[in-house]
Amino acid sequence: MPFNSPKHVGARVLTTVSTEHVAFARSLGADVVIDYKTQRFEEAASHIDLVFDLIDGETRERSWAVLKQGGRLISTLTVPSQHRARAAGVKAMRYTVEPDGNELSEIGALIAAGKVRPHVEKRFPLDQAMAALASVERGHSAGKVVLAVS
């Protein structure tokens, strides 16, 4: 499946972030940034084509209502309820990343062309891989954590 960032293909992007990441999300190009600490996303979103669910649980349950008929809910965590999907008139599935050299090449080309801007939050030397992993496990990062091999 070819890689396309939502903005790269002309999508209007809504996202939910914590208060401290609102400006960062806007800087990345999100059209609507919803601070989940001060606003429920259902108040700002409706008739959505695609919900990309990274949270699960109660957040997923609230997501069914914002999808338009024929929309899609994609989860990176657990398989969404097919019963709930049918009841909402949408499709739902689980997505996991698989290594794909062609997609990585496409992403690299988009980065080189300035159409996708990755944000590296922290860099660690390779010999500090455990510290890098601990940083990722703490969560709430605004960007990528990378290992420098050199």
Side-chain angles (χ1 to χ4, degrees), residues 5-64:
S5 69
K7 294 295 287 185
H8 174 66
V9 295
R12 180 172 177 255
V13 175
L14 292 78
T15 189
T16 57
V17 298
S18 61
T19 306
E20 56 272 14
H21 293 121
V22 168
F24 175 67
R26 284 191 180 118
S27 78
L28 292 177
D31 298 297
V32 177
V33 179
I34 302 162
D35 178 349
Y36 66 76
K37 291 184 176 182
T38 63
Q39 182 178 20
R40 293 176 64 85
F41 62 82
E42 311 87 308
E43 297 169 0
S46 63
H47 303 330
I48 301 296
D49 292 302
L50 172 68
V51 168
F52 199 66
D53 172 30
L54 306 172
I55 306 297
D56 212 346
E58 184 245 344
T59 299
R60 177 183 299 163
E61 287 308 307
R62 292 171 34 220
S63 295
W64 298 111

Side-chain angles (χ1 to χ4, degrees), residues 4-145:
N4 287 303
S5 69
K7 294 295 287 185
H8 174 66
V9 295
R12 180 172 177 255
V13 175
L14 292 78
T15 189
T16 57
V17 298
S18 61
T19 306
E20 56 272 14
H21 293 121
V22 168
F24 175 67
R26 284 191 180 118
S27 78
L28 292 177
D31 298 297
V32 177
V33 179
I34 302 162
D35 178 349
Y36 66 76
K37 291 184 176 182
T38 63
Q39 182 178 20
R40 293 176 64 85
F41 62 82
E42 311 87 308
E43 297 169 0
S46 63
H47 303 330
I48 301 296
D49 292 302
L50 172 68
V51 168
F52 199 66
D53 172 30
L54 306 172
I55 306 297
D56 212 346
E58 184 245 344
T59 299
R60 177 183 299 163
E61 287 308 307
R62 292 171 34 220
S63 295
W64 298 111
V66 302
L67 285 162
K68 73 178 189 179
Q69 289 289 306
R72 296 183 187 270
L73 185 142
I74 310 297
S75 172
T76 60
L77 300 169
T78 60
V79 177
S81 164
Q82 296 306 299
H83 174 73
R84 283 292 270 137
R86 281 189 299 279
V90 302
K91 295 187 185 278
M93 64 178 49
R94 181 170 182 250
Y95 171 79
T96 57
V97 175
E98 300 291 334
D100 185 318
N102 289 332
E103 283 187 4
L104 289 173
S105 292
E106 287 183 52
I107 293 168
L110 291 170
I111 292 168
K115 294 179 179 179
V116 172
R117 295 176 303 158
H119 175 74
V120 176
E121 181 171 323
K122 296 179 187 172
R123 294 177 193 269
F124 291 86
L126 184 58
D127 64 353
Q128 292 182 16
M130 292 301 290
L133 180 59
S135 174
V136 170
E137 288 175 342
R138 282 190 294 275
H140 298 287
S141 63
K144 298 297 180 185
V145 173

